[in-house]
Amino acid sequence: MKPVVLTDTNLVGSALKWNCHYLQETLGNNLCTVYLSKTHKFKYFDVNQTKKCDNDFSPPTEKVLMKFQEFAKHLKSWEEGDRRLYMQQLLNEKILNSSQLVNDILTFNWSWIRRQQKQNNWGPLTANLLMISTQGNVTPAHFDNQQNVFAQIYGYKRFILFPPEDYDKLYPHPVWHPHDRQSQVDFENPDYTKFPKFREIKGHEAVLGPGDVLYLPLYWWHHVESLCQTQYTTSLTFWYKAGPTHGSSVTTMYPLEGYQKMAIMRNVEKMLVETLKDVNEVGPLLRAILEGRYT
Ligand SMILES: C[C@@H](CC(=O)O)C(=O)C(=O)O
Ligand SMILES: [Zn+2]
């Protein structure tokens, strides 16, 4: 599975008119999920995992519910130095009370994407996430565990992509950490002492513009920037569960692929956390297995 940029799918043709004014008309007073950040980085964290971090975890962003009207006002008046906003709202019954918007969604190129889902043996569609970002926002490098068909609607987004096997160069946080799945490396100021193999990293760059679609396979690392050609950027993602990777219907091929090894490593880490109960015992036990035997 490799990422690919497609420029002629017309997947979200009917959404290319979703500018701020149109969305104010159709989303208006609906409450939407908006992340606020003091910096340009919007590093995801799982609030349910913060308790495992004692009290030395400080959330880098704040999640609020904001009327779309209010969000649009901030978006239009935003200037460098203002608090940055990133709306990431599921297209669900909470906001789909405008027949215009519903009609736009119904006229997406569903036949094309259903064909991709079938041909690639993806699982069910789980979510459509509408994302509107003030210019210059960065989603730092991380991977997701679903298939992602990423449609760019307005403005330009720069992706830097890395294969799953770059796991050892991107040093993800531990699976139990709130920043699970996120790289520990600050791309703007990498700590090569702590993360020496980051020096070897080589990424694939893709810049998406309106109408472009990126297929982002699960477990592929991505660093994403909203470029500053426009005041804000708008994107819509189609999330699909990964298809079955083992069992009677699928024969496992060897050698295993990067994403399969990544899944194994994550499962081993999770099993150790579960069994040892103390996250501080995971490292010493893994070292005991490795040192003098597998190194
Ligand atoms: C949030 C998004 C990146 C971005 O568009 O800022 C992402 O990571 C994804 O769609 O998997
Ligand atoms: Zn992602």
Side-chain angles (χ1 to χ4, degrees), residues 216-274:
L216 186 55
L218 82 165
Y219 284 141
W220 267 75
W221 295 87
H222 44 292
H223 158 105
V224 191
E225 302 164 22
S226 282
L227 298 183
C228 299
Q229 278 94 319
T230 54
Q231 180 82 341
Y232 61 89
T233 65
T234 306
S235 316
L236 182 67
T237 49
F238 294 69
W239 290 102
Y240 289 86
K241 268 207 185 312
T245 52
H246 53 270
S248 53
S249 62
V250 186
T251 44
T252 306
M253 308 293 280
Y254 288 89
L256 294 180
E257 290 194 47
Y259 78 94
Q260 291 170 306
K261 290 180 185 168
M262 217 160 134
I264 292 169
M265 288 190 283
R266 287 177 60 76
N267 289 336
V268 166
E269 219 180 317
K270 284 176 183 170
M271 181 271 288
L272 288 176
V273 171
E274 277 308 304

Side-chain angles (χ1 to χ4, degrees), residues 104-260:
D104 293 342
I105 294 166
L106 291 174
T107 36
F108 287 169
N109 191 347
W110 290 106
S111 60
W112 174 81
I113 199 163
R114 275 202 202 96
R115 211 167 39 250
Q116 308 316 311
Q117 177 188 15
K118 197 164 166 15
Q119 284 169 357
N120 296 288
N121 195 23
W122 298 339
L125 173 72
T126 56
N128 284 110
L129 192 67
L130 177 63
M131 297 185 288
I132 306 181
S133 160
T134 43
Q135 59 170 229
N137 288 356
V138 171
T139 298
H142 70 281
F143 64 88
D144 301 299
N145 38 29
Q146 292 204 27
Q147 304 287 9
N148 182 356
V149 177
F150 188 105
Q152 189 56 17
I153 290 172
Y154 178 70
Y156 293 83
K157 269 185 175 172
R158 175 178 182 244
F159 281 72
I160 311 178
L161 304 165
F162 310 90
E165 46 272 25
D166 278 357
Y167 194 87
D168 59 338
K169 302 182 187 70
L170 286 161
Y171 302 88
H173 288 269
V175 293
W176 48 266
H177 193 278
H179 284 321
D180 174 26
R181 296 184 293 108
Q182 321 294 309
S183 170
Q184 296 179 80
V185 183
D186 175 357
F187 277 27
E188 288 153 15
N189 181 25
D191 178 342
Y192 290 115
T193 313
K194 239 178 124 184
F195 311 119
K197 294 189 77 171
F198 185 68
R199 277 188 197 288
E200 303 158 24
I201 199 93
K202 277 195 178 40
H204 307 259
E205 183 185 59
V207 175
L208 299 188
D212 292 342
V213 167
L214 166 69
Y215 163 53
L216 186 55
L218 82 165
Y219 284 141
W220 267 75
W221 295 87
H222 44 292
H223 158 105
V224 191
E225 302 164 22
S226 282
L227 298 183
C228 299
Q229 278 94 319
T230 54
Q231 180 82 341
Y232 61 89
T233 65
T234 306
S235 316
L236 182 67
T237 49
F238 294 69
W239 290 102
Y240 289 86
K241 268 207 185 312
T245 52
H246 53 270
S248 53
S249 62
V250 186
T251 44
T252 306
M253 308 293 280
Y254 288 89
L256 294 180
E257 290 194 47
Y259 78 94
Q260 291 170 306

